Amino acid sequence: MLHYSNDSLGIFSRSGRITHDILVRAQCLAAEAGEPISLALTRLGLVSEQEVADIFAESLGLEIVSSDDLCRLEPNPHDLSVDFLKRFHVLPIHGGDEGSIAVAMADPSDRYAMEAIELATSRRVQPFVALATDLEAALDRLSLRGTSHAEAGETDRAQAFEDSRLTELERLREAASDAPVIRLVNQLLGRAVDERASDLHLEPTMDGLTVRLRVDGRLQALPPLSAHLRDPVVSRIKLLANLDIAERRLPQDGRLNFAVRGTEVDFRVATLPTQLGESVVVRVLDRAQAKLSLTDLGFDQAALAQLRTLLALPNGMILVTGPTGSGKTTTLYAALETLNTPHRKLMTVEDPIEYQLAGVQQVQVQAGIGLSFAQVLRSFLRHNPNVVMVGEIRDQETARVTVQVALTGHLVLSTLHTNDAASGLTRLLDMGVEDYLLVSTCKAIVAQRLVRTLCTQCRVPYALDQALAESLGLSRLASAPTVYHAAGCRACHDTGFHGRTTIIEILPLSEAVQALILRRASRGEIGRVALAEGMRSMHAHGMEKVLAGVTTIEEVLGAVGQAA
């Protein structure tokens, strides 16, 4: 990781030319990219390189070296490697006082670079200011000339490394292109689709490769692969996803499209380097099997009526909460399908984009280039959408901008990671959203979980003990409750379950709830008031599905626990 001094932050702050908000954004980008804050400012397009150079020159009392000067002055690298010079955007030039070395720098506040040059040259650094692009051009010219033996040796080493890398790349490509490997990967992808898996997991071990499918939220083991197939199988999947098969030190993400039984299916691929090799997760994005209607997701008539009333609002914010893997994004997609009509403009910002929706403008977040949720949302306002979906509210800036979008006459749908609906309100307050803005914009919070549905061909009914029925709240729903448990048959692969359904609670922001928000009441107090006003909890909704023979008591309790 590169080291950069924080002196520049104080210089820009004291200059008075750059606002605090811009500096905070640039500081975050600089930390992520491992680069000086001066470069982050120019990459964001908020400050020009010339302005950055002027601020350094005025604050530090330094001269600016122009591009013409860099062309005229002969570079004097003093056997410093070009890689080092490029990494820190510095270039020694002829000139300077006796016993010193003149160095043109894009960030003359970087003490680490200056100390490194002084240590390597045994001379004191006399800094000058130069534009980063001018330095890059001068360093490129220096690279082409090959000005020192040290550089030549470094180039030779780099070429040798590249040659070995190409040899390894050819070996991996050849192994991944063997007919048996191709057939094996095709079979794995096809089986994942056929068995309705959401994910295919390939995990390296000492002996080979563990293969597992996640079906209905549960992992199921397949026969493991031997050690000699580990690298070829992983390389084959990376090739299909257009990933760098020779890069095995860093995580990579990609997508691939593959025909299964004559139907095109999208897959999202994520690789992760581990101690024993690369671990790969292939997410199955089968639009044919995806349930993108609220009815198919398990919303009953009461919930549908309530949610459709909310979706008919011209503006405001509706949030869906729950842990990872609880189906929040799928619920939002189903809501978008309901709203997707020719007279509405729908736009989404996501990370990642799960499914491509016809008629919806979808934007992928790219943190590496500074394209964040908040930045995309600000751009959305200039496109005048009717409905905006934010994949997830992760931080304070995204939360505040999302609220502003809702305030300006747009209907906003988004997700949060909280355990229940009431926690969503307190989470936004903790993120720094002002209580009066939350009351003005948020219309409702939907909390949800996914539970497995019983196989209708093998489920077995049984009478429930009365004391247990009362403790679970089932006696209020039926006098002599009959419930089911899973048995297992060929149709469900002996699991007793087939598919999943949603259990939900919808918390509308009534006047009583709004009053609690304004006085910063606790999550528990908000939840109690909501229940008193008629909110059906996830536990209650789950128990209704237990009585209907849709799922089991164990599934509901495993998802939401006992009733509050």
Side-chain angles (χ1 to χ4, degrees), residues 253-452:
D253 294 286
R255 295 178 79 102
L256 66 94
N257 187 269
F258 185 74
V260 179
R261 312 290 183 265
T263 302
E264 294 291 325
V265 179
D266 288 327
F267 299 86
R268 192 174 75 237
V269 178
T271 69
L272 183 70
T274 71
Q275 186 178 12
L276 297 175
E278 282 187 287
S279 176
V280 179
V281 176
V282 182
R283 183 76 184 273
V284 183
L285 304 173
D286 187 1
R287 182 62 185 267
Q289 293 187 4
K291 298 176 180 179
L292 295 184
S293 78
L294 295 172
T295 303
D296 290 339
L297 291 177
F299 287 68
D300 59 9
Q301 291 304 313
L304 279 174
Q306 195 173 3
L307 194 56
R308 283 171 177 158
T309 299
L310 292 168
L311 293 175
L313 295 172
N315 54 62
M317 184 168 61
I318 301 170
L319 301 176
V320 181
T321 74
T324 301
S326 60
K328 300 184 298 295
T329 302
T330 305
T331 295
L332 290 187
Y333 279 153
L336 289 175
E337 289 286 353
T338 302
L339 294 168
N340 194 2
T341 59
H343 65 274
R344 289 194 185 100
K345 180 163 185 171
L346 280 62
M347 304 185 77
T348 75
V349 51
E350 306 171 59
D351 184 26
I353 295 173
E354 296 282 355
Y355 295 100
Q356 295 179 353
L357 304 176
V360 180
Q361 302 298 305
Q362 297 172 268
V363 179
Q364 168 73 53
V365 167
Q366 299 184 61
I369 61 172
L371 191 64
S372 64
F373 279 104
Q375 183 175 352
V376 174
L377 281 171
R378 293 189 183 97
S379 299
F380 276 3
L381 295 179
R382 293 189 287 273
H383 291 259
N384 194 26
N386 299 101
V387 181
V388 171
M389 183 190 113
V390 183
E392 182 185 343
I393 297 178
R394 297 177 178 173
D395 50 51
Q396 184 182 72
E397 184 182 18
T398 304
R400 288 181 170 175
V401 176
T402 301
V403 168
Q404 291 297 325
V405 172
L407 272 176
T408 53
H410 305 83
L411 181 63
V412 179
L413 312 177
S414 190
T415 71
L416 274 174
H417 280 207
T418 62
N419 289 328
D420 55 26
S423 298
L425 297 171
T426 55
R427 173 70 175 140
L428 288 173
L429 293 173
D430 291 341
M431 280 185 171
V433 176
E434 290 81 358
D435 49 14
Y436 64 91
L437 290 178
L438 183 57
V439 166
S440 301
T441 56
C442 189
K443 304 303 179 183
I445 303 232
V446 180
Q448 69 176 59
R449 297 289 191 280
L450 293 176
V451 294
R452 291 185 294 174

Side-chain angles (χ1 to χ4, degrees), residues 8 42 60 106-107 142 170 215 274 280 320 327 336 343 364 384 422 424 444 452 471 514 529 543 548:
S8 56
T42 57
L60 301 175
D107 183 2
L142 182 62
E170 291 169 1
V215 181
T274 71
V280 179
V320 181
L336 289 175
H343 65 274
Q364 168 73 53
N384 194 26
R452 291 185 294 174
S471 69
Q514 290 177 350
V529 169
M543 290 304 159

